[in-house]
Amino acid sequence: MRYMRTGSLKRLFSIKRRSFEADVGKQKSDSPEEDNNEASNIFPGAEPFKRPTWKCFSFEQIFVATNGFCSENMVGKGGYAEVYRGTIGDGEAIAVKRLTKESTDERKEKDFLTEIGTLAHVCHPNVSSLLGCCIDNGLYLVFQFSSRGSVASVLHDENLPAMDWKTRYKIAVGIAKGLHYLHDGCPRRIIHRDIKASNVLLTSDYEPQISDFGLAKWLPSQWTHHSITPIEGTFGHLAPEYFMHGVVDEKTDVFAFGVLLLELISGKKPVDASHQSLHSWAKPILSQGEIEKLVDPRLGGAYDDAQLDRLAFAASLCIRASSTWRPTISQALEVMVEGEVDREKWKMPEEEEEEQEEFWGYEDLESECDTTSLSASPHDSLTSTRSS
């Protein structure tokens, strides 16, 4: 990708937005009641699809809002972006993500523009809300500011009280709803490719919002998957088929979501100091049905047994090595919220279980790979990795 001039970007955004609204209008005119009914059946009380609203900010507006991008307002820094807190004229708190001036890698610019193109076309309570962008004097994204920070910052901060079970369960269900929207509710299918705790922001009432779409991919309806190189994402979250073969589809996000469920249950990080992945640690415990051993000891036993059972079972399905035997995100959500779960429905033949065992061990390769900081979400310094 070559550097795009400001005028070209403005025309691009204008064309994309008109095209998007035309597509949405056509879809809604075909069968709006059917679309809304389907969403309501899956998620009772779900809001009907709304067109996103965003605008182009001037550089002066965001410069004033962030007090000249002063260091005191910096709330996050990654490999190619910095994030600053600010306040716009009406008193609304915002987060401004800017591509750093020293970033000259064209692929980083492409990732940044990908995030603009993706977030500008999504609208859901569990997906980070894009207020607008600025393409004067650099590249900037403007978000609503999430006062709680990320799931990772709250869950793993030793200076904060342990996150209670009710909040963990709420976050798990909210992330699943956001992923379902990206996979099935958007006008186009979106594969996030970097679902992890530091890429999920929390509102003041701990409602989760999926963020950081720099690695996201549109998946055309007629395609079953993408084949992608180089491999990008975060080790500890990468599905086997993606890590080994570059195959990306909705099940790639489902695997990462399973790891995130384990993280919420256990309070452990996806990869520990000895380079053991969370899913490889949890798999034998799940197989033996001793799910109480997964629970974060900081909870002191204060959790809902039925909810724990459902989340642990959903996680065990999501982290299956074979994508064929993983659930879709909507099926995973059903497991998480239904009173009774038909476990026989998800039982694999013995020969399939034996084949799965051969996959476990691929995470040993991960610790041999170099890590590179690629992206920053609105409130955290996010370290992502790629294969060497």
Side-chain angles (χ1 to χ4, degrees), residues 6 22 37 44 73 81 95 115 144 154 159 176 246 274 300 384:
T6 299
N37 287 339
N73 283 338
E115 188 166 9
Q144 291 179 339
V154 177
N159 297 318
S274 64
S384 299

Side-chain angles (χ1 to χ4, degrees), residues 23-227:
D23 289 345
V24 171
K26 181 179 184 301
Q27 290 184 13
K28 290 176 73 66
S29 64
D30 288 341
S31 55
E33 292 183 1
E34 181 180 342
D35 291 341
N36 288 339
N37 287 339
E38 181 179 354
S40 298
N41 290 335
I42 297 173
F43 306 125
E47 296 182 7
F49 179 81
K50 297 179 181 178
R51 292 183 182 180
T53 57
W54 57 282
K55 66 177 182 178
C56 284
F57 288 84
S58 69
F59 178 74
E60 181 181 3
Q61 284 177 302
I62 60 175
F63 186 84
V64 171
T66 59
N67 193 21
F69 296 99
C70 68
S71 57
E72 289 81 6
N73 283 338
M74 183 185 290
V75 294
K77 185 174 183 179
Y80 75 90
E82 297 171 341
V83 183
Y84 294 82
R85 179 175 182 169
T87 305
I88 52 180
D90 58 2
E92 182 178 5
I94 61 172
V96 179
K97 178 177 178 179
R98 73 170 179 178
L99 188 68
T100 54
K101 292 182 179 180
E102 56 269 22
S103 297
T104 56
D105 186 344
E106 289 184 351
R107 215 158 56 76
K108 292 177 182 177
E109 291 181 355
K110 181 179 179 181
D111 289 345
F112 198 91
L113 293 174
T114 294
E115 188 166 9
I116 295 176
T118 302
L119 278 174
H121 296 160
V122 299
C123 184
H124 189 273
N126 296 116
V127 178
S128 186
S129 177
L130 180 69
L131 296 178
C133 62
C134 173
I135 53 177
D136 299 327
N137 239 354
L139 296 174
Y140 307 84
L141 295 179
V142 182
F143 298 89
Q144 291 179 339
F145 186 80
S146 298
S147 58
R148 300 285 182 182
S150 71
V151 172
S153 65
V154 177
L155 186 62
H156 299 304
D157 190 336
E158 296 179 355
N159 297 318
L160 294 177
M163 183 186 290
D164 64 83
W165 177 259
K166 182 179 179 181
T167 300
R168 297 185 196 214
Y169 184 75
K170 175 181 180 177
I171 290 170
V173 172
I175 296 170
K177 289 182 178 181
L179 270 178
H180 176 270
Y181 168 76
L182 296 176
H183 292 177
D184 302 311
C186 269
R188 299 174 184 173
R189 298 154 64 195
I190 298 174
I191 313 302
H192 186 280
R193 283 211 296 157
D194 203 16
I195 293 295
K196 58 182 179 180
S198 55
N199 281 351
V200 179
L201 304 177
L202 296 172
T203 65
S204 58
D205 61 349
Y206 290 95
E207 193 67 43
Q209 295 183 327
I210 298 170
S211 70
D212 204 329
F213 284 74
L215 298 183
K217 291 289 184 183
W218 298 104
L219 191 58
S221 58
Q222 68 272 23
W223 290 16
T224 58
H225 65 277
H226 274 297
S227 293

Side-chain angles (χ1 to χ4, degrees), residues 15 66 150 288 291 299-300 372:
I15 292 170
T66 59
S150 71
Q288 294 161 13
I291 60 174
L299 288 172
T372 308

